[in-house]
């Protein structure tokens, strides 16, 4: 049996996992927005705002848990940094929905769906990985797969931006580029979370 490197006080890891799962919920709502009529944008965007607010509540719950718990599965600064990265990822996802709603964007490139597919998989992997941080089991695979997914998302973003430059006039380009950047930001923040986990793995191995 593999030795546990940290005490079994895993409430903080569960909260981090729930934050990552919120991103998975958010990708589902954003996928709905991409397929919706413009008069549905505001209602669906409000749903994503609510998911974002719930994610912030989980962040503050983690802060409370760290202050009141004598034993934490990781150093408090590590838990805090991971929580901030997951919250930032959700903020980017929420901003993506708001961008579509504010600009009434229609005819969004299929590259957006490609980005959402990657983000959803990143969120799934991250939710599972957060629960394993107490034992550090199977985290190398998580780290490697997250980097692979992030590269895939970045390639898709570059193609998307090139297509926008060819097909849109400056004003429309700026609006669609804003969406591309916000989605890319979500993936980047999740990659940073995985990179941070990699650093924990190297430090504690």
């Amino acid at each position: 049996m593999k030795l546990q490197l940290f005490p079994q006080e895993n409430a903080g890891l569960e909260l981090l996992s729930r934050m990552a799962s919120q991103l998975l919920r958010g990708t589902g709502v954003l996928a709905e927005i991409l397929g919706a009529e413009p008069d549905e944008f505001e209602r669906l965007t409000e749903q994503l705002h609510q998911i974002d607010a719930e994610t912030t509540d989980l962040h503050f719950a983690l802060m409370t848990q760290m202050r009141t718990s004598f034993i934490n599965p990781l150093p408090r600064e590590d838990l805090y940094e991971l929580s901030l990265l997951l919250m930032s990822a959700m903020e980017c996802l929420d901003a993506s929905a708001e961008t579509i709603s504010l600009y009434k964007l229609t005819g969004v490139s299929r590259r957006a769906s490609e980005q959402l597919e990657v983000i959803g998989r990143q969120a799934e992997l991250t939710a599972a990985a957060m629960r394993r941080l107490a034992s550090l089991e199977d985290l190398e695979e998580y780290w490697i797969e997250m980097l692979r997914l992030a590269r895939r998302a970045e390639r898709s973003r570059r193609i998307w931006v090139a297509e926008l430059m060819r097909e849109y006039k400056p004003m429309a380009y700026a609006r669609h580029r804003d969406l591309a950047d916000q989605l890319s930001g979500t993936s980047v923040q999740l990659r940073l979370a995985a990179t941070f986990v990699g650093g924990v793995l190297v430090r504690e191995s």
Side-chain angles (χ1 to χ4, degrees), residues 47-118:
Q47 288 184 24
L48 228 166
H49 287 339
Q50 182 58 40
I51 294 171
D52 179 44
E54 291 169 7
T55 304
T56 302
D57 288 344
L58 289 170
H59 170 74
F60 288 123
L62 177 61
M63 298 302 98
T64 300
Q65 193 276 334
M66 288 192 300
R67 289 196 305 271
T68 58
S69 176
F70 180 71
I71 299 173
N72 286 291
L74 287 175
R76 285 178 172 85
E77 57 269 27
D78 288 353
L79 294 171
Y80 180 69
E81 181 65 24
L82 284 167
S83 184
L84 285 180
L85 289 168
L86 293 176
M87 193 164 60
S88 293
M90 176 55 75
E91 288 170 358
C92 289
L93 195 68
D94 185 52
S96 299
E98 193 158 58
T99 296
I100 293 172
S101 181
L102 288 173
Y103 297 146
K104 299 298 182 187
L105 287 185
T106 57
V108 174
S109 169
R110 64 184 176 85
R111 306 296 174 189
S113 296
E114 292 175 3
Q115 295 281 310
L116 279 179
E117 181 186 348
V118 171

Side-chain angles (χ1 to χ4, degrees), residues 30 33 38 40-46 49 94-106 175-176 178-179 182:
L30 191 51
I33 294 173
E40 289 290 297
F41 288 170
E42 187 173 349
R43 178 184 65 81
L44 290 167
T45 297
E46 189 55 43
H49 287 339
D94 185 52
S96 299
E98 193 158 58
T99 296
I100 293 172
S101 181
L102 288 173
Y103 297 146
K104 299 298 182 187
L105 287 185
T106 57
R175 292 172 176 174
H176 284 265
D178 191 4
L179 174 60
Q182 294 296 344

Side-chain angles (χ1 to χ4, degrees), residues 4-43:
Q4 296 274 329
L5 294 180
F6 302 107
Q8 282 298 303
E9 177 80 15
N10 294 340
L13 302 186
E14 180 60 32
L15 287 166
L16 288 174
S17 181
R18 287 171 62 188
M19 290 180 74
S21 296
Q22 289 287 97
L23 282 157
L24 194 56
R25 288 180 59 204
T27 60
V29 175
L30 191 51
E32 285 188 62
I33 294 173
L34 290 175
E37 296 297 323
D39 59 2
E40 289 290 297
F41 288 170
E42 187 173 349
R43 178 184 65 81

Side-chain angles (χ1 to χ4, degrees), residues 136-152:
L136 302 183
E137 290 182 357
D138 302 321
L139 288 176
E140 286 186 14
E141 290 82 358
Y142 158 70
W143 185 12
I144 293 167
E145 180 64 9
M146 287 289 284
L147 293 178
R148 187 191 69 80
L149 287 167
R151 287 173 183 147
R152 177 182 161 194

